Amino acid sequence: MYGFKCLLLLIVFNSASSSTIPIAGFFNADKTEQEKVFKLAVENVNNVNQDKIFPEDSLILEPYVEHVLSFDSYNTSRRVCDLAMEGIGGIFGLHSPEAVGITESLCDTMDIPLIKTFWDVSAMPMKSAINLYPDPKILSKALVDVIKDMDWTSYAILYDSDLGLLRLQELLKSHKRAYTTEGHVPFTVWQLEPEGDVRPLLKQIQKTSETRIVLDCATERIIEVLKQAKQVKMLGDYHSYVLTSLDAHTLDYSELQLDTTNITTLRLVNPQRHYVQSTVQDWVFFHKSLLEDKVPITADTLKTDSALTYDAVKVYSEAVQKIRRDTQEDVEVSPLLCSQPQKWLNGSLIIEEIKKLEIDGMSGPIKFDESGQRIFFTIDITELTKNGFRKIGIWDPERGISYTRSGSQMQKEMYQSISNKTFFVVSRLGEPYLKELDKNLEGNARYAGYSMDLIDEIARDLNFDYKFYLAPDGAYGSFNKETKQWNGLIKELRERKADLAICDLTITYERRSAVDFTMPFMNLGVSILYSKPTKQPPDLFSFLLPFSIDVWTYMATAYLGVSLLLYFLARISPMEWKNPHPCNKDPDELENTLAIYNAIWHNIGSLMQQGSDIAPQALSTRVVAGMWWFFVLIMISSYTANLAAFLTMDRMEATIGSVEDLANQNKIKYGVLKGGSSANFFRDSNVSLYQKIWSQMESARPSVFTKSNDEGVERVLRGKRAYAFFMESTTIEYQKEKYCSLMQVGGLLDSKGYGIAMPFNSPYRIAISGSVLKMQESGRLQQLKDKWWKHSEDKADCPKPDEDAASSSELGIANVGGVFLVLLVGCVAAFFVAILEFLWNVRKVAVEEKISPSEAFFLELRFAIQCYGTTKPVRKPQEESVAEEDLADCPEIEGVEEEEEEDRGFFGDENMEEEYMRLNGFSNNIRAKSTQSYS
């Protein structure tokens, strides 16, 4: 039986023409287009060969079509062996790994060329196999380059099969860091369910706020996945998709109405190429019998597998023709048996010749390496528009990405996408950024402020409309670690309810990981808002301020102590006891002038810089007096030097000067806006000072945190300098202009900026940032700030510093009134002392003259109120008056006269000596008479 089959094959082989080579195509039942293209390719090759000048040199390919199941490797191997026994020149069309594995092994054993057209991930290349599908690693590099060029720092990968994950492994390996610069995970990987609803999976991706998707799934499933993505609102302005299928451009996306979603595809076959269009037109014109199906083959719908099948037949034909030209011999096939180690001699020649070819096909330029892998090809980068897919760039292994449109064209298209769009802008109330004019108004007319003016300038520059609305909870946006949810403005952006968020929203690392920001439109830092120290009322006794109470106490003590010491030293020093009558050389008693009242008067005179007629005589008392004068010199000089400054300087309440002063005291409470960026600054800071401040604010009772900045300002205003508030410096500037009693304490604790927030990966960020930069360079941002900070209607009319300085340069009665008061008190005290002295003298006169006190009072008063005379007569009792003649007989006078006679030579003049003796005797006689009368 076996011999009969061999004989039959030999007869068939001999009867066949030497210029005819049979080739076989293995296709699945559903690969109708690929099967048609295989037949069309063979027909075109045969037609081209038959049109040559010498038909006897022509090559005729005879196609055999085999329908096999993709997973049926057994029947596939049997059909390969049957064809080998009949004689076969090449095998095409196999796609399944199961069928290719056994077929590749058989072909490698018999040297039968195997032309593959699919993504082959086998690690062991066979010498008889050629693959027109691009090398997996090189094709993966194209995907990696495209994603990097689009600046995708993070994205989600959706795949539907293990084979798809293998195709994406180079993309997964391209990331060297576990987190991006914004703190995101570079990518997340999600597997689609084989069939059915994928919306639950898409909703999970939506919760992550990821808007960039790499979709790797079967071509026929792409539209269904995108439909479900649209149902869960994942096909909006901020979503971008990269479709890895090389046939994604052949689908119809019109039913999705994707006007704003950015969809990028990669394609190997360019339907706009002339070669592709002319080839398809030839099929339609010359081979209508092969294209009778209801779904015609067009250049726009041509699948990559079909184009590669066409190129495979062409490559095979070119190689055989090259061998025939080089060897001048026909390429003949021979029957082979799978059970015996037989090889087709021409098979290896064809394989080697294919590896050397460099031609253009429907899939672009074709070039192979030594292992039969296609190493050179071009990939078109396309973008979905209203009019279908548009080519925006090209990639090849040697040059990488080359864009077909200039940067100005890309910028123009971006601005065109912004124009005629209405942006929803979310904000929050807070002067001067946004305030509500009238609740009865609607739309943008309801609000006014810096934020409104800023977005209005940007809208005019970029030609778009906007609608303002307030965040429901009025919060800036903070992340709750317990609920894993954002609030405020950030929540509105992440849920895609708003396109922009404009207010005094600080750009922080945490917020930057959740949303995008433009470049800062205002730079600032955290500082301290505090009440100005109130001007103290002038002190009536301000002349005492140069010295402290302790110094005045010590001075008084020193004055009293030195006075007592001077009195004591004068009592014990013999030099201080003097003869009261120098003319009497033998006095009965000595007199000491430094009595206690004289010592006190001496020291007070020197202290007042006026001196005294009393002077110490002894060395010890003079030393004490000298040291006291030196002490007085230093103290009076110091007092005089400081007096002017203390009288002209405005006294202020004690205040804080820096954040260190605030942290090192416990009298003044301080707080911050709860959940704001300033609170996060202290909470997350590694500086020990700021950690101390945060711990004190957390432990303070009642709470020092506020729900809004306005509440914090109100607490500072009514806190009577017992509360300070941490706030952004720009807001402090506005509050200082609004309230004259507020001030900024210290410098900036950090440096940050306000930015316009938008959903993550927003396509409008570059355009809006450019508009902000333009406003900054033109000075428009500063003009807007001056409008709402310096020229606002709420600005208070605060006194200028120059006026304050002028008023404080001169002294008023309030500054020196205490001196006048001391003078008045001293005068009143002296007046009362004089009255006491007067009354004491009245009593004395009444006793001496034996008259009533009232008579004595009126006599003395009558004399005192006279406005003339400088002498006062001495009134004496008549019975005690002494006649002048009796004075001559006074023994005391006689004795004095005798003594004076002895010393007469001292005076030298007798008349002067007589006059002195007369007066001296009169005085002694009066003293004696008075003493007797008093006794």
Side-chain angles (χ1 to χ4, degrees):
M1 185 68 181
Y2 179 78
F4 176 78
K5 287 185 178 181
C6 291
L7 179 61
L8 182 61
L9 289 174
L10 181 60
I11 294 173
V12 173
F13 173 75
N14 290 332
S15 63
S17 173
S18 60
S19 60
T20 299
I21 299 178
I23 58 175
F26 285 74
F27 306 102
N28 294 334
D30 56 347
K31 296 289 185 179
T32 56
E33 180 181 306
Q34 189 178 359
E35 180 182 340
K36 291 177 186 179
V37 172
F38 175 70
K39 295 177 181 179
L40 291 170
V42 173
E43 190 71 20
N44 277 11
V45 168
N46 292 340
N47 290 338
V48 171
N49 292 334
Q50 289 176 359
D51 290 339
K52 292 183 178 180
I53 299 177
F54 303 100
E56 63 274 8
D57 295 334
S58 63
L59 171 67
I60 303 300
L61 299 179
E62 184 177 358
Y64 290 89
V65 176
E66 297 289 340
H67 294 102
V68 294
L69 298 176
S70 59
F71 56 85
D72 193 355
S73 60
Y74 175 73
N75 287 326
T76 302
S77 62
R78 285 190 60 186
R79 289 302 301 151
V80 171
C81 290
D82 291 343
L83 291 173
M85 290 175 63
E86 296 176 2
I88 195 73
I91 297 177
F92 300 79
L94 287 172
H95 279 76
S96 65
E98 297 86 358
V100 170
I102 187 64
T103 304
E104 198 171 43
S105 179
L106 293 173
C107 292
D108 192 59
T109 301
M110 296 181 289
D111 277 353
I112 297 176
L114 175 62
I115 313 300
K116 298 183 292 187
T117 58
F118 69 97
W119 186 305
D120 188 8
V121 294
S122 60
M124 295 296 294
M126 298 295 180
K127 62 181 181 179
S128 61
I130 296 292
N131 195 350
L132 269 80
Y133 200 94
D135 182 84
K137 292 184 178 180
I138 300 177
L139 187 58
S140 296
K141 188 176 184 301
L143 179 61
V144 172
D145 290 349
V146 169
I147 290 179
K148 286 184 177 180
D149 189 76
M150 291 192 300
D151 197 24
W152 281 19
T153 56
S154 65
Y155 47 88
I157 298 176
L158 275 69
Y159 71 99
D160 64 348
S161 65
D162 295 339
L163 184 61
L165 193 59
L166 289 175
R167 285 195 295 265
L168 297 170
Q169 61 178 336
E170 294 300 324
L171 178 61
L172 304 180
K173 294 178 182 178
S174 63
H175 296 278
K176 298 180 180 180
R177 299 180 59 184
Y179 293 93
T180 64
T181 55
E182 293 84 8
H184 300 119
V185 177
F187 60 88
T188 55
V189 182
W190 310 78
Q191 184 174 10
L192 298 172
E193 294 294 333
E195 295 179 357
D197 193 359
V198 298
R199 286 174 294 183
L201 177 62
L202 295 176
K203 289 181 179 179
Q204 293 183 27
I205 299 175
Q206 189 179 36
K207 290 181 179 180
T208 65
S209 295
E210 187 58 70
T211 58
R212 296 168 175 172
I213 311 295
V214 177
L215 180 59
D216 185 280
C217 65
T219 305
E220 56 273 10
R221 197 180 180 190
I222 292 177
I223 297 297
E224 182 60 30
V225 173
L226 292 180
K227 283 182 178 179
Q228 297 186 31
K230 186 176 182 179
Q231 294 173 2
V232 296
K233 298 181 180 180
M234 288 189 64
L235 282 182
D237 297 3
Y238 304 103
H239 292 87
S240 299
Y241 287 81
V242 170
L243 308 180
T244 62
S245 173
L246 298 180
D247 292 330
H249 66 283
T250 63
L251 302 175
D252 184 11
Y253 298 86
S254 59
E255 57 179 323
L256 295 175
Q257 297 179 351
L258 304 177
D259 296 336
T260 57
T261 305
N262 182 18
I263 295 182
T264 303
T265 66
L266 306 179
R267 69 186 183 192
L268 187 63
V269 180
N270 184 359
Q272 281 77 42
R273 283 183 61 206
H274 175 71
Y275 181 79
V276 175
Q277 292 184 349
S278 62
T279 301
V280 174
Q281 289 176 1
D282 289 343
W283 294 346
V284 176
F285 185 77
F286 294 106
H287 309 286
K288 292 182 179 180
S289 60
L290 294 175
L291 300 173
E292 294 177 352
D293 290 346
K294 296 180 180 179
V295 182
I297 298 177
T298 63
D300 292 330
T301 60
L302 181 65
K303 298 293 191 297
T304 303
D305 288 344
S306 301
L308 292 177
T309 300
Y310 182 89
D311 290 343
V313 175
K314 182 180 179 180
V315 166
Y316 183 87
S317 174
E318 290 288 339
V320 174
Q321 290 282 33
K322 182 68 167 55
I323 293 173
R324 293 182 64 193
R325 288 195 300 268
D326 293 343
T327 61
Q328 298 296 321
E329 295 180 0
D330 290 335
V331 177
E332 299 177 352
V333 296
S334 59
L336 302 172
L337 297 176
C338 294
S339 59
Q340 296 181 2
Q342 297 176 330
K343 293 182 181 295
W344 181 35
L345 299 179
N346 291 322
S348 59
L349 294 177
I350 295 174
I351 294 298
E352 293 300 322
E353 197 61 41
I354 291 176
K355 293 178 180 178
K356 298 177 183 178
L357 287 178
E358 293 185 16
I359 63 173
D360 282 340
M362 295 188 72
S363 61
I366 301 173
K367 184 179 179 180
F368 302 96
D369 62 4
E370 292 299 326
S371 62
Q373 295 291 331
R374 184 175 177 179
I375 60 173
F376 190 83
F377 52 90
T378 58
I379 294 293
D380 290 341
I381 306 171
T382 64
E383 190 175 73
L384 182 62
T385 64
K386 296 179 180 180
N387 300 322
F389 280 95
R390 177 185 57 183
K391 180 180 177 180
I392 62 174
I394 190 172
W395 181 93
D396 65 61
E398 296 178 357
R399 293 175 296 180
I401 297 178
S402 301
Y403 283 102
T404 57
R405 57 180 178 177
S406 62
S408 59
Q409 290 176 332
M410 297 174 64
Q411 186 176 11
K412 182 179 179 181
E413 293 173 359
M414 179 180 60
Y415 283 109
Q416 287 178 350
S417 65
I418 294 178
S419 62
N420 302 323
K421 175 180 173 58
T422 299
F423 286 84
F424 288 90
V425 182
V426 64
S427 186
R428 64 184 300 276
L429 295 177
E431 296 180 1
Y433 302 98
L434 191 70
K435 60 181 180 179
E436 195 172 30
L437 298 177
D438 189 352
K439 293 184 178 180
N440 297 324
L441 298 176
E442 295 182 356
N444 299 338
R446 184 176 178 179
Y447 308 104
Y450 179 88
S451 300
M452 286 290 294
D453 288 353
L454 178 61
I455 189 58
D456 191 63
E457 292 283 343
I458 297 175
R460 283 202 299 266
D461 182 36
L462 300 180
N463 191 27
F464 65 81
D465 296 327
Y466 63 91
K467 292 183 179 179
F468 242 83
Y469 77 96
L470 300 179
D473 56 2
Y476 288 99
S478 58
F479 184 71
N480 191 321
K481 295 183 179 179
E482 296 180 358
T483 62
K484 306 296 182 182
Q485 296 293 327
W486 287 86
N487 66 348
L489 306 179
I490 305 300
K491 179 181 179 181
E492 296 294 305
L493 294 174
R494 288 178 65 84
E495 293 180 354
R496 305 293 187 274
K497 295 180 180 179
D499 300 295
L500 302 173
I502 300 180
C503 65
D504 50 335
L505 184 63
T506 307
I507 303 174
T508 63
Y509 177 82
E510 188 178 37
R511 291 172 181 166
R512 181 63 185 84
S513 64
V515 296
D516 269 340
F517 282 93
T518 63
M519 65 162 293
F521 61 81
M522 191 178 295
N523 295 314
L524 60 139
V526 176
S527 191
I528 305 172
L529 180 68
Y530 194 46
S531 295
K532 287 182 179 179
T534 56
K535 188 176 180 180
Q536 295 294 327
D539 191 355
L540 194 61
F541 297 95
S542 58
F543 62 89
L544 298 176
L545 294 178
F547 290 155
S548 64
I549 299 299
D550 295 340
V551 174
W552 286 116
T553 303
Y554 293 150
M555 284 185 63
T557 304
Y559 165 71
L560 181 60
V562 171
S563 298
L564 294 175
L565 178 63
L566 187 64
Y567 169 73
F568 178 73
L569 294 180
R571 297 285 297 178
I572 65 176
S573 176
M575 300 297 296
E576 291 295 338
W577 294 95
K578 298 295 183 180
N579 183 5
H581 305 288
C583 298
N584 186 3
K585 295 184 177 181
D586 189 16
D588 295 332
E589 57 184 12
L590 300 177
E591 185 179 23
N592 190 340
T593 60
L594 285 178
I596 184 62
Y597 49 86
N598 284 339
I600 293 176
W601 177 251
H602 171 270
N603 288 347
I604 196 67
S606 59
L607 184 62
M608 296 298 176
Q609 300 286 288
Q610 298 302 319
S612 174
D613 57 346
I614 300 172
Q617 302 296 322
L619 178 61
S620 59
T621 55
R622 287 184 176 183
V623 170
V624 172
M627 291 300 98
W628 172 250
W629 290 339
F630 176 76
F631 169 79
V632 168
L633 172 66
I634 300 302
M635 296 305 295
I636 295 301
S637 299
S638 301
Y639 176 84
T640 305
N642 290 338
L643 181 62
F646 274 89
L647 290 179
T648 58
M649 180 181 63
D650 288 337
R651 291 191 63 205
M652 298 289 183
E653 291 181 349
T655 185
I656 53 176
S658 63
V659 66
E660 289 83 1
D661 297 342
L662 192 63
N664 294 331
Q665 55 81 44
N666 52 16
K667 181 179 179 181
I668 302 174
K669 301 295 182 181
Y670 44 87
V672 70
L673 175 66
K674 185 176 182 180
S677 61
S678 300
N680 296 338
F681 166 73
F682 289 103
R683 183 193 64 193
D684 302 331
S685 176
N686 294 325
V687 180
S688 59
L689 176 63
Y690 300 154
Q691 290 178 348
K692 177 182 177 181
I693 292 176
W694 176 252
S695 62
Q696 290 181 355
M697 288 192 295
E698 275 193 319
S699 59
R701 295 293 180 274
S703 176
V704 294
F705 296 104
T706 64
K707 296 180 180 179
S708 65
N709 284 333
D710 292 338
E711 181 183 345
V713 174
E714 183 65 24
R715 290 186 65 172
V716 173
L717 289 173
R718 55 183 172 82
K720 297 181 180 180
R721 295 180 58 80
Y723 182 80
F725 189 64
F726 289 103
M727 184 189 287
E728 285 84 359
S729 58
T730 51
T731 309
I732 292 178
E733 291 177 18
Y734 175 76
Q735 297 298 338
K736 285 166 54 181
E737 296 289 342
K738 188 175 180 180
Y739 301 103
C740 301
S741 61
L742 297 180
M743 69 174 184
Q744 177 178 334
V745 175
L748 303 183
L749 307 185
D750 65 345
S751 179
K752 51 191 175 184
Y754 292 151
I756 301 176
M758 56 194 65
F760 197 66
N761 299 329
S762 173
Y764 311 116
R765 182 175 61 89
I766 296 177
I768 296 179
S769 289
S771 182
V772 172
L773 181 60
K774 189 187 303 182
M775 294 174 62
Q776 184 181 27
E777 292 176 348
S778 64
R780 184 55 180 161
L781 288 179
Q782 186 61 41
Q783 292 176 0
L784 291 179
K785 184 177 180 181
D786 293 342
K787 172 185 175 181
W788 291 100
W789 266 255
K790 296 183 179 180
H791 308 299
S792 174
E793 297 178 356
D794 298 330
K795 185 179 183 297
D797 188 15
C798 301
K800 296 181 179 180
D802 294 339
E803 297 176 358
D804 295 340
S807 63
S808 62
S809 60
E810 58 187 19
L811 297 178
I813 189 62
N815 300 100
V816 294
V819 181
F820 289 91
L821 180 61
V822 171
L823 177 61
L824 178 62
V825 171
C827 293
V828 171
F831 180 76
F832 281 104
V833 171
I835 291 176
L836 294 176
E837 290 177 346
F838 177 79
L839 296 175
W840 178 264
N841 184 57
V842 167
R843 177 183 177 279
K844 181 179 178 182
V845 171
V847 172
E848 290 179 352
E849 297 186 6
K850 297 181 178 179
I851 60 178
S852 65
S854 60
E855 293 178 348
F857 175 80
F858 285 109
L859 287 174
E860 292 295 325
L861 181 63
R862 188 181 301 112
F863 178 82
I865 62 178
Q866 292 179 356
C867 299
Y868 57 89
T870 58
T871 60
K872 181 181 180 181
V874 178
R875 290 183 294 274
K876 302 177 181 179
Q878 295 180 0
E879 61 272 12
E880 296 181 0
S881 61
V882 182
E884 293 183 359
E885 59 272 12
D886 295 336
L887 297 177
D889 299 331
C890 182
E892 290 83 354
I893 297 300
E894 293 177 358
V896 172
E897 290 177 353
E898 292 177 358
E899 292 178 0
E900 290 176 354
E901 288 178 357
E902 295 177 0
D903 299 332
R904 186 170 297 173
F906 174 78
F907 292 97
D909 190 349
E910 293 181 357
N911 294 329
M912 291 180 62
E913 184 174 352
E914 290 177 358
E915 182 66 17
Y916 174 78
M917 292 299 296
R918 187 184 66 81
L919 294 175
N920 191 28
F922 176 79
S923 175
N924 292 335
N925 189 22
I926 292 299
R927 186 182 299 108
K929 293 290 184 178
S930 298
T931 302
Q932 293 175 2
S933 177
Y934 178 77
S935 301

